[in-house]
Amino acid sequence: MKIVTGTVLHGQIVVEGEPFSEGETVTIVGHDERETFHVTPEEKRMLLESIAQADRGEVVDGDELLAELDETN
């Protein structure tokens, strides 16, 4: 997983850093510069650890996760 920042120019998204491979699937989350959010130091630590786990391949298949959640309800 990689997280990049980009800008819309002439209707296309131009990203900073390494380009994505042709045909690669991406998810785009837009935000309003005036809209901000704050996290606690603990939330930031947890977020960074979660990203590191994903980078190491320590992930759960989405369908598997949904099945596990269904079992608990």
Side-chain angles (χ1 to χ4, degrees):
M1 177 196 311
K2 56 184 168 180
I3 298 175
V4 298
T5 300
T7 305
V8 177
L9 297 173
H10 306 291
Q12 296 188 351
I13 299 171
V14 179
V15 297
E16 300 171 2
E18 292 285 321
F20 289 92
S21 301
E22 188 69 27
E24 190 170 349
T25 300
V26 298
T27 301
I28 299 165
V29 178
H31 63 89
D32 185 333
E33 289 292 326
R34 298 166 292 181
E35 193 174 315
T36 61
F37 65 94
H38 301 280
V39 295
T40 66
E42 177 64 10
E43 290 168 331
K44 182 177 180 179
R45 185 198 63 73
M46 290 172 58
L47 176 59
L48 293 173
E49 176 55 29
S50 295
I51 292 170
Q53 287 174 339
D55 286 344
R56 292 190 300 266
E58 298 171 8
V59 297
V60 175
D61 177 76
D63 291 332
E64 181 182 325
L65 175 61
L66 292 175
E68 288 179 19
L69 291 172
D70 279 344
E71 290 174 6
T72 61
N73 289 327

